Amino acid sequence: MQSNSVSVGLEIKNEQVKSELIEIISSIAGFRVMKFLDQEDCDIIVLEIGDDPEKEFQCIHSLHDADANKGVFLTSSRTEPEILLRALRAGAKEFFTQPLKREEIINAFGKFREKKVYAPSNGNGKKKGKIINVLGSKGGIGTTTISVNLALSLLASPNDNQTSVAIMDLNLLFGEVPIFLGLKPVFSWGEIVQNISRLDSTYLKSVMAKHDSGMHILPSPSQFDGITVANSEIIGKILQLMLKEYDYIVIDSGQSLDDMSLKVLELSDTVLINSILSLPCLINCKRLLESFWRMGYPRNEHIKIIINRYHKNSDISLKDAEKGIQRNIFWTIPNEYQLTMSAINQGKPLTAMSNKSDITRKIRNLAAACLKDMNTIKNETYHVPEPNLSGIRS
Ligand SMILES: Nc1ncnc2c1ncn2[C@@H]1O[C@H](COP(=O)(O)OP(=O)(O)OP(=O)(O)O)[C@@H](O)[C@H]1O
Ligand SMILES: [Mg+2]
């Protein structure tokens, strides 16, 4: 968690203002105040303008020149318009007048976090792709089935044969994506982790397995190689590069919620929480929503709930489920055990088994709905509303 939080440094002389700021910032999910100020290392620095504004403005200039993405926030008891104007021109992103206003500070930090998380991939080159992250609210409920067949549907999406799609397996040791596609890959992302200094697009492509459909696969390590040294930063680097190379990257996140998965969540354009209409699964789904709400990401409109293995006569209706998790269900995928099992055992996509079955149609349409949604999402709201599962427990 620590590595995903935004670090804040304080350069404040007034002790009372400083402790007030520490208290407010520490209460905001996803931010941590650094114990020792390191101007280079922090994501945001809050400076106090005191008796010598010229010195402080120079400091803002040099911070801004060194890293234009750093948030330089100011606070002062002085409110003369020329001071405010100079501060903005120097590159300050926010100005908090004293006495401090809690709401104003919380909003400013929220805005910064939103820009940081959802900014196009940092670094060189442009982000081309989008990440669809499929997360299971329980094991064995079809998360890999959906990930693999969704990715293949994206590949075949409307009127072009140029769409590039990759699927990445995050299930450590027990990744099954290659099995579902009838592949025996030589490499995994563990390989990249061990040779991270070599990472460029040629190396990335040489590690990816290739499916007949044209889809590329980045399997998870099936041995401990690479896992022990993998971390969120490395996974972030791999994904940033994949975003430049592929139009769509589907992640089979399984049920993992370690630091690496949190990084993937940060970078995801769409998070599909896979669930079934069972009480434990819906309770887990609620727990995930609560955790996301506390973390401050992924944002509400990026999260979609899907119900797999859906049939109309289930004990829990879709309405009950929606009431319980206080979220609309975005999609349902019908219960078709025989077909899914045969596809898995033969290492074939569902479309190769039966192109006209309900399940293939629903997954194809899910791909189209995700694409449509990703193109219309407005980056406005920040927090996921706190969910409530009282309806489901009663
Ligand atoms: N829509 C569906 N209808 C019926 N059965 C399904 C459906 N989707 C998946 N299954 C079945 O559920 C089982 C588990 O599928 P899958 O491996 O995709 O789940 P998973 O959540 O990825 O599991 P794991 O936690 O082991 O990674 C398989 O036997 C598959 O046939
Ligand atoms: Mg799986």
Side-chain angles (χ1 to χ4, degrees):
M1 291 281 298
Q2 191 91 332
S3 53
N4 292 311
S5 57
V6 177
S7 54
V8 185
L10 300 179
E11 184 98 76
I12 310 282
K13 289 169 213 90
N14 182 325
E15 282 304 322
Q16 196 196 327
V17 172
K18 190 172 179 175
S19 55
E20 239 182 287
L21 273 170
I22 292 175
E23 188 272 313
I24 298 172
I25 298 165
S26 309
S27 74
I28 316 172
F31 289 88
R32 72 194 146 95
V33 179
M34 293 170 87
K35 219 167 183 175
F36 304 101
L37 177 68
D38 180 339
Q39 294 198 341
E40 270 179 29
D41 250 17
C42 55
D43 299 306
I44 296 177
I45 178 152
V46 189
L47 287 166
E48 185 176 21
I49 305 265
D51 301 332
D52 191 358
E54 278 318 310
K55 206 172 122 209
E56 267 102 33
F57 290 139
Q58 266 188 1
C59 177
I60 304 168
H61 265 303
S62 49
L63 282 169
H64 194 256
D65 286 350
D67 179 359
N69 291 324
K70 194 188 286 294
V72 182
F73 296 180
L74 301 181
T75 176
S76 178
S77 54
R78 302 178 58 174
T79 51
E80 301 99 289
E82 60 273 23
I83 296 249
L84 287 170
L85 213 61
R86 291 278 318 271
L88 293 173
R89 282 199 191 124
K93 294 197 166 84
E94 300 286 346
F95 193 101
F96 310 127
T97 48
Q98 294 167 13
L100 300 172
K101 293 181 198 72
R102 193 182 192 87
E103 271 310 297
E104 189 185 5
I105 295 170
I106 291 175
N107 284 340
F109 278 76
K111 238 164 56 189
F112 180 87
R113 162 112 215 175
E114 200 165 301
K115 281 198 188 125
K116 181 177 152 71
V117 169
Y118 293 98
S121 68
N122 315 317
N124 342 312
K126 274 171 73 184
K127 168 182 164 169
K128 164 183 173 186
K130 299 232 190 279
I131 295 177
I132 301 179
N133 185 355
V134 190
L135 188 62
S137 41
K138 206 174 188 309
I141 58 162
T143 304
T144 305
T145 302
I146 293 172
S147 306
V148 165
N149 290 287
L150 175 71
L152 288 164
S153 299
L154 289 166
L155 193 67
S157 58
N159 58 43
D160 67 275
N161 48 14
Q162 312 244 310
T163 311
S164 53
V165 178
I167 181 164
M168 181 179 187
D169 197 335
L170 267 195
N171 294 269
L172 295 180
L173 290 183
F174 305 116
E176 292 171 344
V177 169
I179 300 172
F180 279 49
L181 291 164
L183 297 171
K184 286 193 186 142
V186 183
F187 302 118
S188 72
W189 53 254
E191 197 75 21
I192 304 181
V193 169
Q194 287 179 309
N195 298 288
I196 193 67
S197 60
R198 283 180 61 196
L199 181 62
D200 60 17
S201 66
T202 316
Y203 178 56
L204 173 73
K205 294 255 167 93
S206 72
V207 170
M208 310 278 290
K210 277 98 194 166
H211 186 250
D212 284 349
S213 60
M215 183 165 78
H216 288 186
I217 297 98
L218 192 50
S220 64
S222 53
Q223 307 289 326
F224 277 101
D225 309 351
I227 296 180
T228 44
V229 279
N231 59 38
S232 59
E233 195 192 337
I234 294 181
I235 291 294
K237 274 192 182 146
I238 297 173
L239 273 173
Q240 300 283 11
L241 183 58
M242 287 175 82
L243 281 166
K244 289 178 202 156
E245 300 295 326
Y246 297 94
D247 296 312
Y248 302 108
I249 300 145
V250 174
I251 317 269
D252 175 1
S253 279
Q255 291 180 85
S256 59
L257 280 175
D258 54 15
D259 261 7
M260 290 185 283
S261 322
L262 292 180
K263 185 73 202 174
V264 177
L265 277 170
E266 268 197 7
L267 294 170
S268 298
D269 296 275
T270 295
V271 178
L272 299 177
I273 302 185
N274 180 31
S275 189
I276 55 171
L277 288 177
S278 79
L279 187 64
C281 214
L282 290 165
I283 288 175
N284 287 355
C285 182
K286 174 235 179 188
R287 287 181 184 155
L288 280 173
L289 290 169
E290 274 178 349
S291 307
F292 294 162
W293 179 77
R294 284 206 188 89
M295 290 191 314
Y297 68 93
R299 291 184 308 168
N300 201 16
E301 66 272 34
H302 292 253
I303 303 170
K304 314 245 166 288
I305 313 290
I306 45 182
I307 299 291
N308 191 25
R309 306 199 66 165
Y310 171 65
H311 57 91
K312 281 186 194 138
N313 303 326
S314 134
D315 283 344
I316 300 174
S317 70
L318 283 180
K319 263 204 176 133
D320 290 341
E322 284 184 333
K323 201 168 148 212
I325 56 173
Q326 299 220 308
R327 292 285 307 228
N328 287 340
I329 284 160
F330 181 68
W331 214 255
T332 60
I333 295 171
N335 189 48
E336 292 200 31
Y337 182 75
Q338 214 49 53
L339 191 66
T340 52
M341 203 65 240
S342 309
I344 295 170
N345 285 335
Q346 293 180 48
K348 287 187 176 166
L350 286 167
T351 45
M353 307 301 296
S354 164
N355 200 19
K356 293 210 168 113
S357 63
D358 270 0
I359 189 166
T360 49
R361 185 179 50 80
K362 279 295 256 187
I363 295 180
R364 207 166 28 234
N365 291 346
L366 170 63
C370 288
L371 295 188
K372 186 167 166 236
D373 225 73
M374 281 192 294
N375 292 330
T376 53
I377 281 175
K378 293 196 194 85
N379 294 336
E380 277 160 5
T381 47
Y382 177 57
H383 281 304
V384 178
E386 188 154 25
N388 164 358
L389 205 72
S390 50
I392 279 212
R393 283 220 174 87
S394 60

